[in-house]
Amino acid sequence: VEVYGGSFETSGADFYWGGEMNDWSVSVSGHGQTTEGWDFDSFDITGQRDAHEMGESRSGLFARIESDSFNFEIFDGQVEQDFLGSDQTWPFDSYDRHTTHYGMGYDLSLSEKWNTSIDLTHNDHKRDTSSGLVDVKSRNTLVEVTVEGEISDKLDAIIGATYTELESTDIALGASPLSGEWQTLYSQLDYSPIRALKVTIGGQFYDSENDSDALIRGAFLWKINEHCGLKVLYGEAYRSPYLSELYISIPDSLKGNPELLAEEMKTYDIQFYYHADKLRIDATIFDSTISDSIGFAFQDGLRTFVNKGESEFYGYEIESSFQLTSRLLIESSLTHQKNKNEAGIKNLSLIHI
C-alpha cells in the first residue's frame, strides 16, 4: 500500500495484492488520486476572461486470475476533470469518463506439437459532460482464435481468425448508434533449412465495412556469423476507416463518407546489422507505398473524408549504440526520408487541412 500527497492539494493511494493457490494465481491492484489542480487564467474565443482550478480525480481497480491454460482480467476506471468548456467558452465545464474492460484467454494443447488459443476482449466507454455537448458512449468486442504448431523439424505454421465489433453513440445529438464489423483470416509458415537461415511466408484476408482484400508478407533472415546478419522484409497492411470517418455529421462543418475504402500499405525493408558485446549497428533501407490514403476534401461546401490516392515514402535509417563504460552508453541515430505522390510531386505535405 502506498499513500502520497503533493502540491495543488494532491493526494492519492495505490495498493497491490497477489497470491497463489494450487495451480492458480490471483492479483488485485487499485489506484485513486485527487487534485485541486493549478489555476487556469485565460481569455476564451469570445474574449471573456475568467479563471478556474484545473481539478481532477481518478480511480481504477484491476483484477486478474490465471492458471497455466486460462486467464481472466477485469478493469474499471473513472476520471472526473474540469476543463474550458466543450465549446471553448467560459464558464468551465467538467466531464466524467468511465471505462470498463474484460479480457479472457484459454490455451488448449491439441497434441504434442500443436496447440490452440482463444482470446476475448470487451471494452465499454462512456463520457458525460456537464454541458452535454460532447457526450458519447461506445463499446467494442474482439475475438481471436489461433492454431499453431510444428509440421516438421524445419517447418512451423500458424493460422488464425479475428472478429471485431464496434458500436458508438453520440448522446449529445441523440443520434442512433453507429456500428461496424471486421473479420480477418491469417496464416504464416516459418521454414529454417539451416540454423542460420529462416524464411517466412504469410498472408491475411480482411473483410471490412466497404471492401475486402488479401494481403501477403514475407521475410528472409540470414545470420551471416556470430555478429552480423541480413534481413529482407516485405509486408502489406491495412487500416479500415474509423466510424467517425464513415458516419460523422456536424451541421455546416463536417460530414462522413460511408463509401470510404480501407487504406493499404506495402513496405520493403533491407537491413544489415552488426551486434557485438559493446557495439551495435543497424542500417536499414525502406520503401513504403500507401494507397487509398484517407484525407480531407471539400464537397458541397462541407469538409468530408475521401480516399486520396497513392503516396510513396522511401529512405534509410542508421542506428548505433556503444557501451563506453559500465555506466555510460552512447546512442545515435540518423534517418533520411523522402516522399512523392502518384503524380510525381515530391516532398508533399502529409497534413490534410
Side-chain angles (χ1 to χ4, degrees):
V1 177
E2 179 183 43
V3 179
Y4 55 90
S7 56
F8 303 114
E9 299 185 35
T10 300
S11 61
D14 300 323
F15 78 89
Y16 172 82
W17 175 86
E20 295 184 357
M21 181 179 295
N22 298 326
D23 296 330
W24 294 86
S25 64
V26 180
S27 61
V28 181
S29 60
H31 167 77
Q33 177 182 299
T34 62
T35 180
E36 292 298 322
W38 50 280
D39 291 330
F40 179 78
D41 188 329
S42 176
F43 291 94
D44 65 15
I45 59 176
T46 68
Q48 179 183 351
R49 181 179 180 179
D50 206 339
H52 197 283
E53 292 179 335
M54 299 286 287
E56 179 185 87
S57 66
R58 59 177 64 227
S59 60
L61 182 66
F62 176 81
R64 180 180 176 88
I65 181 172
E66 61 182 320
S67 66
D68 291 338
S69 60
F70 176 81
N71 67 79
F72 176 79
E73 63 184 30
I74 181 173
F75 169 78
D76 187 88
Q78 188 168 9
V79 176
E80 298 180 10
Q81 187 177 57
D82 296 327
F83 69 107
L84 184 59
S86 307
D87 56 358
Q88 299 296 297
T89 60
W90 292 103
F92 241 43
D93 203 348
S94 64
Y95 76 76
D96 183 340
R97 187 177 71 230
H98 187 196
T99 301
T100 305
H101 160 83
Y102 306 93
M104 181 182 71
Y106 180 67
D107 296 324
L108 176 64
S109 178
L110 302 176
S111 67
E112 184 179 349
K113 296 183 178 181
W114 288 86
N115 62 77
T116 184
S117 61
I118 303 172
D119 295 285
L120 169 66
T121 302
H122 180 82
N123 298 289
D124 286 299
H125 171 82
K126 187 176 182 181
R127 181 178 66 204
D128 294 310
T129 60
S130 55
S131 68
L133 294 178
V134 289
D135 294 1
V136 296
K137 65 178 180 179
S138 64
R139 64 176 180 85
N140 64 77
T141 303
L142 170 64
V143 180
E144 182 170 12
V145 180
T146 304
V147 178
E148 57 183 329
E150 184 179 300
I151 298 176
S152 69
D153 294 340
K154 299 180 179 181
L155 184 63
D156 297 326
I158 181 173
I159 184 170
T162 67
Y163 170 79
T164 304
E165 181 184 40
L166 176 65
E167 181 179 283
S168 178
T169 303
D170 192 326
I171 304 174
L173 297 178
S176 299
L178 305 176
S179 61
E181 296 180 358
W182 298 266
Q183 300 87 32
T184 64
L185 177 66
Y186 58 88
S187 64
Q188 180 172 301
L189 293 173
D190 294 319
Y191 178 57
S192 300
I194 57 175
R195 189 173 183 179
L197 182 63
K198 181 179 179 180
V199 179
T200 297
I201 299 175
Q204 180 183 38
F205 174 79
Y206 73 88
D207 183 13
S208 62
E209 286 293 284
N210 292 329
D211 64 329
S212 59
D213 201 359
L215 309 174
I216 61 174
R217 61 179 176 269
F220 175 87
L221 311 177
W222 179 28
K223 189 173 182 179
I224 301 172
N225 57 40
E226 182 182 357
H227 300 298
C228 299
L230 178 69
K231 300 179 182 180
V232 180
L233 311 173
Y234 173 76
E236 298 178 352
Y238 78 99
R239 180 184 78 83
S240 293
Y242 301 126
L243 288 180
S244 59
E245 294 171 333
L246 293 170
Y247 304 117
I248 192 172
S249 179
I250 301 177
D252 302 321
S253 178
L254 180 63
K255 183 176 178 61
N257 179 1
E259 303 300 322
L260 279 178
L261 302 176
E263 294 181 335
E264 291 191 358
M265 174 181 283
K266 300 178 180 180
T267 301
Y268 300 87
D269 289 281
I270 300 177
Q271 181 186 87
F272 173 82
Y273 67 86
Y274 175 82
H275 294 171
D277 293 338
K278 293 185 176 182
L279 177 64
R280 297 173 64 93
I281 300 175
D282 298 274
T284 306
I285 300 173
F286 61 88
D287 188 306
S288 298
T289 301
I290 300 178
S291 57
D292 292 323
S293 59
I294 298 174
F296 285 118
F298 281 91
Q299 293 181 358
D300 301 325
L302 297 176
R303 283 202 308 172
T304 188
F305 299 94
V306 296
N307 292 110
K308 285 281 189 175
E310 187 173 283
S311 301
E312 182 182 7
F313 308 85
Y314 51 95
Y316 60 85
E317 182 176 40
I318 301 174
E319 297 179 307
S320 65
S321 65
F322 181 67
Q323 192 74 50
L324 187 62
T325 69
S326 60
R327 295 187 177 183
L328 180 60
L329 175 68
I330 300 175
E331 296 182 320
S332 64
S333 65
L334 170 66
T335 301
H336 179 75
Q337 176 179 291
K338 293 184 177 181
N339 63 72
K340 62 181 179 180
N341 63 12
E342 56 190 356
I345 300 176
K346 297 182 178 181
N347 301 321
L348 63 152
S349 171
L350 305 181
I351 300 176
H352 302 294
I353 302 176

